[in-house]
């Protein structure tokens, strides 16, 4: 998937099986075959009847996807755009979205008229609006549709999409494709509204995960079986996604990242990035973030640890237990 430190597009990839559709052909393009995007694209490709084209900065990701499906590879985002009528992007950060859309070989360099561009990345709302306006000015139709549900949701096609777009027609076109990758598709408002909803959701998620980890840690130190405590919480007023789906204590929920050594989930450093987006939005709107600021500081401390930075953000439980043993 896209390297987190890269802000410029790589040179067009050579030697891959290239799509060859005419400019009048309808086709779906997907850019960003990372931990989330790969599973999303697999569901979309399997449930769609249109030709499917993919691109990623990592040739290995493209090779794996085209080997497992009948999709074809583009050599650059612009190459993909020149052959598709619908484009979905799922990228890590604002800089990656800007590069993929507006770079010299970016989507805008090959964009066809009325192409639907759906960005499912979680980025700064102001960047999202700017890129969307550029897409619309170039003749495309831009939609921001960040996602919630994590890798487990991507694998099971149970994601929630928070959609921001200009018209109900754009939403209808978008929903047709997003429903193949998730179970909830909600229009939040105009351009940028999806991003606004997403950063609010992840702000709450970060806070609730820390609270769940603290409660579970206290219960264990009081002698409670973590599985018993979790079963009580999950049928009581403390119930939340951080407890009943992604419980941070290893072994409590088999499918949770914590049981898999905190691998395969939403990385701590990405949660810190999202909390930074929420913090910036709060400053812009003069909104107080008391618990949000504490959560950001905690995840910043965790991200300083190279191991925790790459693990699922529920590893805050491990950080609590290891940092405060006595």
């Amino acid at each position: 998937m896209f390297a987190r430190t890269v802000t410029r597009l790589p040179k067009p990839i050579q030697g891959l099986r290239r799509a060859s559709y005419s400019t009048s052909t309808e086709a779906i393009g997907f850019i960003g075959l990372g931990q989330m995007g790969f599973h999303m694209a697999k569901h979309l490709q399997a449930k769609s009847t249109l030709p499917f084209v993919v691109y990623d900065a990592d040739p290995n990701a493209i090779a794996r996807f085209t080997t497992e499906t009948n999709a074809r590879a583009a050599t650059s985002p612009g190459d993909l755009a020149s052959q598709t009528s619908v484009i979905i992007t799922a990228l890590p950060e604002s800089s990656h979205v800007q590069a993929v859309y507006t770079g010299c070989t970016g989507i805008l360099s090959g964009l066809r008229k009325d192409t639907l561009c759906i960005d499912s990345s979680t980025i700064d709302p102001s960047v999202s609006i700017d890129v969307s306006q550029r897409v619309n000015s170039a003749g495309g139709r831009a939609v921001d549709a960040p996602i919630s549900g994590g890798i487990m949701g991507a694998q099971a096609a149970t994601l929630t999409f928070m959609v921001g777009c200009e018209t109900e027609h754009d939403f209808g076109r978008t929903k047709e494709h997003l429903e193949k990758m998730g179970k909830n598709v909600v229009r939040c408002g105009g351009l940028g509204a999806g991003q606004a909803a997403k950063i609010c959701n992840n702000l709450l998620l970060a806070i609730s995960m820390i609270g769940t980890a603290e409660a579970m840690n206290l219960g264990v130190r009081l002698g409670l079986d973590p599985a018993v405590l979790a079963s009580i919480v999950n049928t009581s007023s403390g119930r939340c996604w951080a407890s009943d789906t992604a419980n941070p204590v290893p072994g409590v929920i088999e499918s949770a990242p914590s049981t898999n050594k905190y691998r395969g989930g939403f990385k701590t450093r990405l949660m810190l990035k999202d909390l930074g987006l929420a913090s910036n939005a709060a400053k812009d709107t003069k909104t107080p973030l008391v618990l949000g600021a504490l959560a950001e500081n905690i995840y910043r401390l965790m991200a300083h640890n190279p191991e925790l930075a790459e693990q699922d953000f529920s590893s805050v439980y491990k950080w609590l237990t290891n940092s405060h043993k006595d």
Side-chain angles (χ1 to χ4, degrees), residues 190-234:
L191 293 176
Q195 296 294 346
K198 177 59 189 294
I199 62 176
C200 291
N201 177 81
N202 276 23
L203 170 66
L204 179 58
L205 176 60
I207 293 169
S208 64
M209 181 59 78
I210 294 170
T212 300
E214 283 193 340
M216 295 299 296
N217 187 40
L218 176 60
V220 168
R221 292 192 181 197
L222 289 172
L224 293 172
D225 182 325
V228 172
L229 176 57
S231 69
I232 293 170
V233 170
N234 295 340

Side-chain angles (χ1 to χ4, degrees), residues 40 88-91 118-122 143 145-147 161 178 195:
M40 292 166 61
I88 296 94
T89 51
L91 306 166
I118 306 169
D119 181 36
S120 290
S121 316
T122 299
V143 173
I147 49 184
F161 290 88
L178 299 188
Q195 296 294 346

Side-chain angles (χ1 to χ4, degrees), residues 5-24:
T5 58
V6 175
T7 58
R8 293 180 298 174
L9 287 174
K11 294 180 180 179
I13 296 174
Q14 305 296 326
L16 291 169
R17 189 167 43 132
R18 184 184 184 278
S20 56
Y21 306 117
S22 72
T23 56
S24 62

